Amino acid sequence: MGGRVDSATSAMTMMNPDLRSSILVKTLRRESTDRVPVWFMRQAGRSLPEYREIRGVDSILKVLTKPDLAAEITLQPVRRYGVDAAILYSDIMAPLANLDIGVDIRAGVGPVVEEPFRSIRDVKRLRPLDPSVDLAAMASAVELCVDELAVPLIGFCGGPFTIASYLIEGRPSRSHATVKKLMLEEPNVFHELADRLVDMAIATLTVQVTHGASVVQIFDSWIGTLSPWMFRELARPHLQRLAYESVQLGVPVIYFGVETAGLLKDLVELGFPALGLDWRVDLASIATRFGSKVALQGNLDPSILLAPTTQVLSATEQILAASSQAPSYVFNLGHGVLPETNPETLAAIVNLVHERGANLRGASEL
Ligand code: CP3
């Protein structure tokens, strides 16, 4: 089992050469392309009837021990929508599942931790990942996906603050008050935890890339809950290491968080090649400010997809128009697809982006 991971060769030799010139990889490298690529966060999952049919009732962590099932779920939205990328069906908590720290993902709730982390002793329960064992199923799922795919596979991991938040809070939190209190009261505990989580993030991304992922995204969804001051004092050093080490993997890296308007300048300075945006920001002005430094992704409010299709398409048009200010833009939502979304709506967005995106980029080349 483990041999696959151990014998993996370097990232660039594994990446299918055709995918280096795919529209997503080129856009994220800020090379010119003739249209805007499109994929959706949470494109795989509960909004798809074919997913509900094969998903079963087990916890997602159990599903992820079956690489063939994880691969099939990953491929479903690519077949249905013709999106420009697949994203691995996994979870930001999946790498921790084998570590015996009482992590589970509860349906309708999210990640829960039996005994939340509060002290250095708790942090020491978090042993380093042994990729050949702990990530073996993930590595196989990646391989099964890339064998089938003609578009890039996006690998991913959680950002250190977001995972730390689940481990310390013990369950999803709105205020993130417990994690912030610990960061301020016992910064050494937080730093030790974040250090280990960055190591885990790099180990996870490395396995994904060596087995064939052509792009990776870091989901640090809750980073925007920090004030700029706490971000700079406590989170930034870890993100700087994560940015440096992930970029060394040789594939484009997207960093994503919600409510990051107050942190955008700091995030751009971290040096990730691409940033994912939520819908609370004005894409045109961000494109003007930062578009020469990073590729941008996202911005359509996932709730809008519950409105009638004509309105969804006009919101899509607006984003495409705003994105023409950005030299490199990837169409996506500002957060994950909501489970109640009609798949026909996503299909209509993909068609529109493929048509209109081509006109926009084509026109800007003249
Ligand atoms: O299609 C994709 O985007 C890939 C799949 C993916 C999942 N989780 C599958 C999943 C990705 C990229 C994630 C990342 C993830 N997981 C994040 C970061 C992105 C974000 O939404 O901010 C976070 C915060 C988590 C933690 C998590 N896992 C939550 C909050 C939930 C939802 C709980 C619920 O049932 O409402 C999960 C479970 C989960 N992960 C589901 C899916 C499709 C839903 C239930 C399931 O299939 O069991």
Side-chain angles (χ1 to χ4, degrees):
M1 277 293 278
R4 288 183 148 189
V5 177
D6 296 336
S7 65
T9 44
S10 86
M12 290 316 286
T13 55
M14 286 297 293
M15 199 208 281
N16 176 344
D18 294 345
L19 296 177
R20 268 177 251 170
S21 55
S22 65
I23 199 129
L24 178 70
V25 170
K26 284 180 79 176
T27 301
L28 293 170
R29 291 223 163 105
R30 295 197 284 126
E31 294 167 17
S32 81
T33 60
D34 51 14
R35 69 169 171 81
V36 172
V38 51
W39 67 280
F40 303 104
M41 293 185 280
R42 289 275 168 100
Q43 63 190 19
R46 282 177 297 188
S47 59
L48 288 181
E50 58 269 38
Y51 165 84
R52 296 194 296 268
E53 207 164 283
I54 62 167
R55 165 72 175 75
V57 294
D58 290 331
S59 146
I60 180 172
L61 295 179
K62 185 85 190 294
V63 175
L64 296 177
T65 64
K66 300 172 189 160
D68 47 346
L69 187 52
E72 173 58 23
I73 293 173
T74 304
L75 299 173
Q76 285 178 341
V78 181
R79 290 190 200 114
R80 182 187 267 260
Y81 301 125
V83 275
D84 295 303
I87 179 161
L88 181 67
Y89 180 73
S90 181
D91 195 83
I92 56 169
M93 304 307 277
L96 294 104
N98 259 348
L99 302 187
D100 235 12
I101 51 167
V103 168
D104 199 4
I105 299 181
R106 223 171 269 163
V109 177
V112 289
V113 182
E114 253 165 52
E115 290 175 50
F117 284 31
R118 298 290 153 79
S119 67
I120 202 78
R121 274 188 42 208
D122 293 327
V123 172
K124 294 204 164 136
R125 283 155 54 202
L126 202 62
R127 68 162 168 81
L129 287 176
D130 176 353
S132 66
V133 177
D134 301 325
L135 303 177
M138 183 184 282
S140 306
V142 169
E143 286 189 358
L144 290 170
C145 291
V146 294
D147 280 351
E148 295 282 321
L149 280 167
V151 292
L153 176 71
I154 303 174
F156 71 91
C157 66
F161 175 76
T162 297
I163 306 253
S165 165
Y166 284 120
L167 293 176
I168 292 167
E169 300 278 346
R171 54 188 295 113
S173 160
R174 271 184 84 81
S175 67
H176 299 91
T178 311
V179 57
K180 290 183 198 175
K181 178 170 180 282
L182 186 116
M183 288 167 91
L184 294 170
E185 242 170 25
E186 299 202 63
N188 58 319
V189 175
F190 175 77
H191 286 309
E192 181 61 37
L193 177 57
D195 238 358
R196 289 176 190 226
L197 294 174
V198 171
D199 289 345
M200 280 189 183
I202 292 297
T204 304
L205 298 181
T206 302
V207 162
Q208 295 168 349
V209 171
T210 52
H211 286 265
S214 317
V215 169
V216 293
Q217 176 154 322
I218 295 165
F219 284 91
D220 212 357
S221 307
W222 315 135
I223 192 71
T225 193
L226 294 179
S227 69
W229 175 80
M230 275 187 78
F231 174 86
R232 288 174 198 142
E233 288 293 308
L234 293 152
R236 181 167 65 184
H238 302 286
L239 289 177
Q240 224 135 35
R241 179 161 78 92
L242 183 55
Y244 180 80
E245 293 187 13
S246 59
V247 166
Q248 305 296 311
L249 292 171
V251 300
V253 185
I254 307 161
Y255 179 84
F256 167 78
V258 299
E259 300 191 80
T260 54
L263 300 177
L264 277 177
K265 188 163 175 293
D266 292 273
L267 294 180
V268 169
E269 283 169 4
L270 288 170
F272 288 107
L275 284 186
L277 304 170
D278 77 1
W279 61 93
R280 299 167 180 92
V281 290
D282 180 61
L283 179 60
S285 58
I286 287 170
T288 312
R289 267 178 86 194
F290 302 118
S292 64
K293 297 201 172 79
V294 283
L296 298 170
Q297 171 178 281
N299 198 226
L300 181 61
D301 182 347
S303 303
I304 286 183
L305 274 57
L306 306 182
T309 309
T310 47
Q311 314 233 18
V312 177
L313 294 181
S314 92
T316 302
E317 292 269 14
Q318 280 176 37
I319 299 233
L320 285 171
S323 81
S324 65
Q325 304 294 311
S328 305
Y329 172 73
V330 177
F331 195 95
N332 206 319
L333 308 182
H335 207 166
V337 173
L338 296 169
E340 56 270 47
T341 307
N342 183 343
E344 298 295 323
T345 304
L346 291 171
I349 295 175
V350 172
N351 290 340
L352 182 65
V353 174
H354 281 170
E355 270 167 39
R356 289 281 297 125
N359 295 341
L360 278 169
R361 293 289 142 181
S364 71
E365 303 260 297
L366 295 176

